Amino acid sequence: MSVHQVTVSAPVNIAVVKYWGKRDTALLLPTNSSLSLTLSQDDLRSTTTVRIDPKFEADRLWLNGKEEDVTSNKRMVNVVRELRALRKSLQDADSALPVIDSWRMHVCSENNFPTAAGLASSASGFAALTFGIAQALDIAERIPRAQLSRLARLGSGSACRSLFGGFVAWNMGSAADGNDSVAEQVADESHWADMEALILVASDARKDTPSTAGMQLTVETSALLQSRIKDVVPKRMEEMRAAIAAKDYDAFAELTMKDSNQFHAVCLDTFPPISYMNDVSRAVVHLITSYNALFTQPGAAGGPKKGYRAAYTFDAGPNAVLYVRREHVAEVLAIVNAVFPVPTTDREAYLGRAAQYVGKEDVAGVASLVKKIGMAPFAAGSLRRIISTSVGDGPRVLGWGAENSLLGENGLPKTTA
Amino acid sequence: MSVHQVTVSAPVNIAVVKYWGKRDTALLLPTNSSLSLTLSQDDLRSTTTVRIDPKFEADRLWLNGKEEDVTSNKRMVNVVRELRALRKSLQDADSALPVIDSWRMHVCSENNFPTAAGLASSASGFAALTFGIAQALDIAERIPRAQLSRLARLGSGSACRSLFGGFVAWNMGSAADGNDSVAEQVADESHWADMEALILVASDARKDTPSTAGMQLTVETSALLQSRIKDVVPKRMEEMRAAIAAKDYDAFAELTMKDSNQFHAVCLDTFPPISYMNDVSRAVVHLITSYNALFTQPGAAGGPKKGYRAAYTFDAGPNAVLYVRREHVAEVLAIVNAVFPVPTTDREAYLGRAAQYVGKEDVAGVASLVKKIGMAPFAAGSLRRIISTSVGDGPRVLGWGAENSLLGENGLPKTTA
């Protein structure tokens, strides 16, 4: 075979113990461990086709239909170089393996969610890239997945978590070369099968501080970050692992919300301060807090309250991700829709797959809850859309050769922007 | 003399190192020291008339024209009891002093700023109450001012700082009975005479978490508060005292903004989280940050940047207080007005005394700055009004007997709500 071509997809992940701050900005080594849930690629994914071909003259990269200067993207260069080096070491050890590490490659990648959705695409993007190149070089199944996770980390820190499905911990590690700073699967996607996610995409005209710059400003200027790193996260990681192992939603929900709050607290303690949450985000927090309060009772001494129905978490932007058990999704969605009315036009695009839950709720019960919560409805358009999804698997091979390929026979993208 | 009647006023104070959290909720002892600037009573004040009269049958209290149940207000009862005990101890020691500690009192208090202005009135209110009763009992000049500060603290923690003019530190103290938890004047109002304040009153429909409840929730649930208390505030207090002593505006401004940010950070790290700042507050932060960035240069290693023009601080609400040197007030106000347009109606009420600065700015210079800052103007009404004021003196006696009295000859309020 003189050409190796593969098309893969990789998932988005949303952390419940947040990554914010690097101790090494070249190797992308974090100041604390983190833990995320991998979201289903049926709903959100980066798709990447990689072709290596002895006839190609140079590496080329297209992202969302637009060619990028591959040499100026240092992180991309690092990932590709390391993958080729891995291939070479395998070739050197086994003369039966064809010598393909020197072949140039064409990489074409796209996200099925618009950047305007406000979802970070670097994690799924670099996971797909790393997984795709590793498959094209025929090394993905010859090395531990943790190795691929390490390489994806060199592209984008949180990408290392998107190499696994289910519940994924990124252990910060301690080695200077970062070899132990990799993700591991805490539980697979079937472990807690009724865990769903609702993403409330908030409208926001303000341009956010990019997370790469923002997190280092926090490392440099926040007086409180060190306390989070040393005093809070190590314990929280253990508690979150235990909550997931036990499928203890109350513990999971409370830890998730507290960690989101604290991430945004250290952003605010940065100088100049960074604010990712806006008034719509604050209203979602208030809504979920008030809703949960209708059901929760004090837990055992020191433990979380009992009876949580929804847990919010916010990444570096105003969008809320709600982790909700399937039995409560219809109710949570109905309550969200009561405060953030579904637009009468574009209803289908706004709700997407969430439409399946509309009409499934106890309408009288929801009306009573909404009345108790007592929030005035926001103007239509405060939310831009709702994405309903679940916990899903790790990267997938979608096909070899022409199957599902983003590249045409000529090795160029089938579609360009 | 068979009746003692006095009318006093007391000022508002706005902290630059924030008080948030009590270590003793009965004695109102704080978890950390704080430091504030006393604002001029020419602009913002609580006025209180106190009459003690052997013919009165009971203590009575009117706040802003409405009678309050004085016995149900524990903090008020505590302050009055302690002041009477002080009077009694002075009488016991000096038989020449008339015995008046048992006389009942009528107290009438009002603020010259509407509660709707979003300014905390408890500090100036309890300072005026304490100072007024102490004057009526003729003890105010017989005991150290620190003693009165301690008593005001029993009414409302931050009231202890309103017993002094200028720059005032509230030392947290360490005694179990709180006797050393009192305010002291760091510098009087003439020390840094060109320090002005602009209060940007933000519109906000949301009801804020009361600070009394909010701060204890932070003490109970914030994992980061302990780091603020132990690692940050002690050093910051020293740095702030030094900045004030040296009239070092750069250091003052940076410390002020950092401490405001951190106060709101620990609010957000509370569970459930507390958000006092809204999108208008965030925009003010962005505006001042961008404006300062046009002038600031890195300072000496570890020190603040040089060239700050304005410093923001936010209390437990969305209003911004900007501390600005007089030479820059017109420019700062013009830039604020560019982003938050002055309403065409009610212009006088909106600007108040700030109107004196309008037209004094370098119009072309401001236009150039606004262009560089690049923020789109907000809708009119995003700010409700602007209050221009300066650093001012401590409580004042406004008159004895009928002079300036809020009580009529019959001992009842002249005006009721």
Side-chain angles (χ1 to χ4, degrees):
Chain A
M1 189 159 93
S2 62
V3 171
H4 296 237
Q5 182 172 313
V6 66
T7 300
V8 304
S9 69
V12 166
N13 71 76
I14 301 287
V16 290
V17 177
K18 301 291 191 190
Y19 156 52
W20 194 253
K22 297 178 182 71
R23 66 180 196 272
D24 184 314
T25 54
L27 293 170
L28 278 65
L29 302 177
T31 53
N32 59 258
S33 296
S34 55
L35 198 151
S36 60
L37 277 59
T38 296
L39 301 185
S40 173
Q41 289 160 84
D42 295 343
D43 301 304
L44 300 167
R45 63 185 168 272
S46 293
T47 304
T48 299
T49 297
V50 179
R51 183 197 296 199
I52 60 169
D53 190 326
K55 289 181 300 221
F56 286 164
E57 292 178 356
D59 292 336
R60 294 178 72 179
L61 170 68
W62 292 265
L63 292 181
N64 293 314
K66 187 165 164 280
E67 183 158 13
E68 304 283 323
D69 177 8
V70 70
T71 57
S72 70
N73 189 329
K74 275 192 192 168
R75 292 180 172 193
M76 164 85 183
V77 168
N78 286 345
V79 174
V80 172
R81 188 188 57 237
E82 294 256 354
L83 284 162
R84 283 191 169 124
L86 265 176
R87 171 69 198 186
K88 183 161 192 311
S89 68
L90 291 170
Q91 289 167 189
D92 291 348
D94 180 358
S95 60
L97 289 177
V99 175
I100 58 174
D101 66 287
S102 58
W103 294 6
R104 299 296 93 188
M105 64 179 70
H106 285 191
V107 178
C108 184
S109 190
E110 59 187 38
N111 307 316
N112 79 327
F113 48 95
T115 306
L119 293 164
S121 57
S122 61
S124 56
F126 267 107
L129 184 93
T130 305
F131 185 71
I133 297 173
Q135 290 289 357
L137 291 172
D138 190 21
I139 58 176
E141 310 306 328
R142 296 172 188 272
I143 60 172
R145 183 60 63 94
Q147 279 278 55
L148 285 187
S149 169
R150 182 179 68 79
L151 296 183
R153 191 202 73 221
L154 297 175
S156 171
S158 56
C160 75
R161 298 187 308 238
S162 278
L163 264 293
F164 299 90
F167 300 78
V168 183
W170 174 11
N171 299 308
M172 64 179 288
S174 57
D177 65 3
N179 280 348
D180 59 351
S181 187
V182 298
E184 63 163 347
Q185 190 176 61
V186 168
D188 74 17
E189 59 276 16
S190 66
H191 166 69
W192 202 343
D194 68 336
M195 184 68 86
E196 301 254 325
L198 288 173
I199 306 177
L200 313 184
V201 181
S203 300
D204 198 21
R206 236 174 80 108
K207 192 167 157 38
D208 294 325
T209 308
S211 58
T212 300
M215 66 172 71
Q216 286 321 102
L217 196 60
T218 302
V219 170
E220 289 159 20
T221 66
S222 168
L224 300 180
L225 180 66
Q226 293 308 315
S227 174
R228 165 169 170 75
I229 292 170
K230 289 176 201 158
D231 307 331
V232 178
V233 173
K235 184 158 174 275
R236 197 165 274 171
M237 283 293 291
E238 289 315 304
E239 290 171 342
M240 186 61 89
R241 281 172 182 268
I244 291 165
K247 291 187 265 190
D248 178 347
Y249 184 79
D250 287 315
F252 170 85
E254 193 164 307
L255 291 166
T256 294
M257 294 188 280
K258 284 183 171 176
D259 204 71
S260 175
N261 297 340
Q262 187 170 88
F263 154 49
H264 292 278
V266 298
C267 286
L268 197 45
D269 188 48
T270 301
F271 190 76
I274 303 169
S275 300
Y276 288 117
M277 294 168 69
N278 64 16
D279 281 354
V280 168
S281 318
R282 293 168 72 211
V284 170
V285 168
H286 185 70
L287 174 63
I288 299 302
T289 300
S290 305
Y291 168 62
N292 280 330
L294 299 175
F295 301 99
T296 47
Q297 300 293 330
K305 289 185 179 175
K306 297 291 177 192
Y308 284 108
R309 295 255 172 134
Y312 59 77
T313 186
F314 295 81
D315 274 357
N319 302 334
V321 176
L322 307 181
Y323 285 123
V324 182
R325 283 163 298 175
R326 190 165 297 123
E327 60 181 313
H328 296 131
V329 172
E331 183 176 279
V332 170
L333 182 65
I335 281 161
V336 168
N337 289 344
V339 175
F340 300 98
V342 178
T344 49
T345 56
D346 292 327
R347 181 184 168 86
E348 271 182 44
Y350 180 91
L351 283 174
R353 208 172 72 86
Q356 70 183 302
Y357 292 105
V358 175
K360 298 281 172 62
E361 73 276 17
D362 165 9
V363 174
V366 165
S368 163
L369 293 172
V370 167
K371 195 177 168 193
K372 284 179 193 157
I373 291 167
M375 286 175 73
F378 275 62
S382 300
L383 292 182
R384 207 154 42 190
R385 60 185 289 204
I386 293 175
I387 298 167
S388 167
T389 186
S390 54
V391 178
D393 57 353
R396 300 173 183 169
V397 173
L398 301 182
W400 300 92
E403 188 190 4
N404 291 319
S405 176
L406 302 177
L407 293 170
E409 283 189 33
N410 60 356
L412 297 175
K414 288 179 175 172
T415 57
T416 51
Chain B
M1 190 159 90
S2 63
V3 171
H4 296 238
Q5 182 172 312
V6 67
T7 301
V8 304
S9 69
V12 166
N13 72 75
I14 300 288
V16 290
V17 178
K18 301 292 191 190
Y19 157 52
W20 194 253
K22 298 179 181 70
R23 66 179 195 274
D24 184 313
T25 54
L27 294 171
L28 278 65
L29 302 177
T31 52
N32 59 258
S33 297
S34 54
L35 198 151
S36 59
L37 277 59
T38 295
L39 301 186
S40 173
Q41 289 161 85
D42 295 343
D43 302 303
L44 300 167
R45 62 185 168 273
S46 293
T47 304
T48 300
T49 296
V50 179
R51 184 196 294 199
I52 60 169
D53 190 326
K55 289 182 300 224
F56 285 163
E57 292 179 355
D59 292 336
R60 293 179 74 180
L61 170 69
W62 293 264
L63 292 181
N64 294 315
K66 187 165 164 281
E67 183 158 14
E68 304 282 324
D69 176 8
V70 70
T71 56
S72 70
N73 188 329
K74 275 191 191 167
R75 292 180 172 191
M76 165 84 184
V77 168
N78 285 345
V79 174
V80 172
R81 188 188 58 236
E82 293 256 356
L83 285 161
R84 283 191 169 123
L86 264 176
R87 171 70 197 187
K88 184 162 191 310
S89 68
L90 290 170
Q91 288 166 190
D92 291 350
D94 179 357
S95 59
L97 289 177
V99 175
I100 58 174
D101 66 287
S102 57
W103 293 6
R104 299 296 96 188
M105 63 180 69
H106 284 190
V107 178
C108 184
S109 189
E110 58 187 39
N111 307 317
N112 79 327
F113 48 95
T115 305
L119 293 164
S121 57
S122 62
S124 55
F126 267 107
L129 184 95
T130 305
F131 185 71
I133 296 174
Q135 290 289 356
L137 291 171
D138 189 21
I139 58 176
E141 310 305 329
R142 298 171 187 273
I143 60 171
R145 183 61 61 95
Q147 279 278 54
L148 286 187
S149 168
R150 182 180 67 81
L151 296 183
R153 190 202 74 221
L154 297 174
S156 171
S158 57
C160 75
R161 297 188 307 237
S162 278
L163 263 294
F164 299 91
F167 300 77
V168 183
W170 175 11
N171 300 307
M172 64 179 289
S174 57
D177 65 4
N179 280 348
D180 59 351
S181 187
V182 298
E184 64 164 346
Q185 190 175 59
V186 169
D188 74 16
E189 59 275 17
S190 66
H191 167 69
W192 201 344
D194 68 337
M195 183 68 85
E196 301 255 326
L198 287 173
I199 306 178
L200 313 184
V201 181
S203 302
D204 197 22
R206 237 174 79 108
K207 193 168 155 36
D208 293 325
T209 308
S211 57
T212 301
M215 66 173 72
Q216 286 321 104
L217 197 59
T218 302
V219 171
E220 289 159 20
T221 65
S222 168
L224 300 181
L225 180 66
Q226 293 308 315
S227 173
R228 165 168 170 77
I229 292 170
K230 289 176 201 159
D231 307 330
V232 179
V233 173
K235 184 158 174 277
R236 196 165 274 171
M237 283 293 290
E238 290 315 304
E239 290 170 341
M240 187 62 90
R241 280 172 183 267
I244 291 165
K247 292 187 263 189
D248 178 348
Y249 183 77
D250 287 315
F252 171 85
E254 193 164 307
L255 290 166
T256 294
M257 293 187 281
K258 283 183 171 175
D259 205 70
S260 175
N261 297 340
Q262 188 170 87
F263 155 49
H264 292 278
V266 297
C267 286
L268 197 46
D269 188 49
T270 301
F271 190 75
I274 304 169
S275 300
Y276 288 117
M277 295 168 70
N278 64 16
D279 282 354
V280 168
S281 318
R282 293 168 74 212
V284 171
V285 168
H286 185 71
L287 174 63
I288 299 302
T289 300
S290 305
Y291 168 61
N292 280 330
L294 300 176
F295 300 100
T296 46
Q297 300 293 331
K305 289 185 179 175
K306 297 291 176 191
Y308 283 108
R309 295 255 170 134
Y312 59 77
T313 186
F314 294 81
D315 274 356
N319 302 333
V321 176
L322 306 182
Y323 285 123
V324 182
R325 283 162 298 174
R326 192 165 295 123
E327 61 181 312
H328 296 132
V329 172
E331 182 176 279
V332 171
L333 183 65
I335 281 161
V336 168
N337 289 345
V339 175
F340 299 99
V342 178
T344 48
T345 56
D346 292 328
R347 180 182 168 86
E348 271 181 45
Y350 180 90
L351 282 174
R353 208 172 72 84
Q356 71 182 301
Y357 292 104
V358 176
K360 298 280 171 62
E361 74 274 17
D362 165 9
V363 174
V366 164
S368 162
L369 294 172
V370 167
K371 196 176 167 193
K372 284 179 193 157
I373 291 167
M375 286 176 73
F378 275 62
S382 299
L383 292 182
R384 208 155 43 190
R385 59 184 291 205
I386 292 175
I387 297 168
S388 168
T389 186
S390 53
V391 178
D393 57 352
R396 301 172 182 169
V397 173
L398 301 181
W400 300 92
E403 188 189 6
N404 291 320
S405 177
L406 301 176
L407 293 170
E409 283 189 32
N410 61 356
L412 297 174
K414 288 178 175 172
T415 56
T416 51

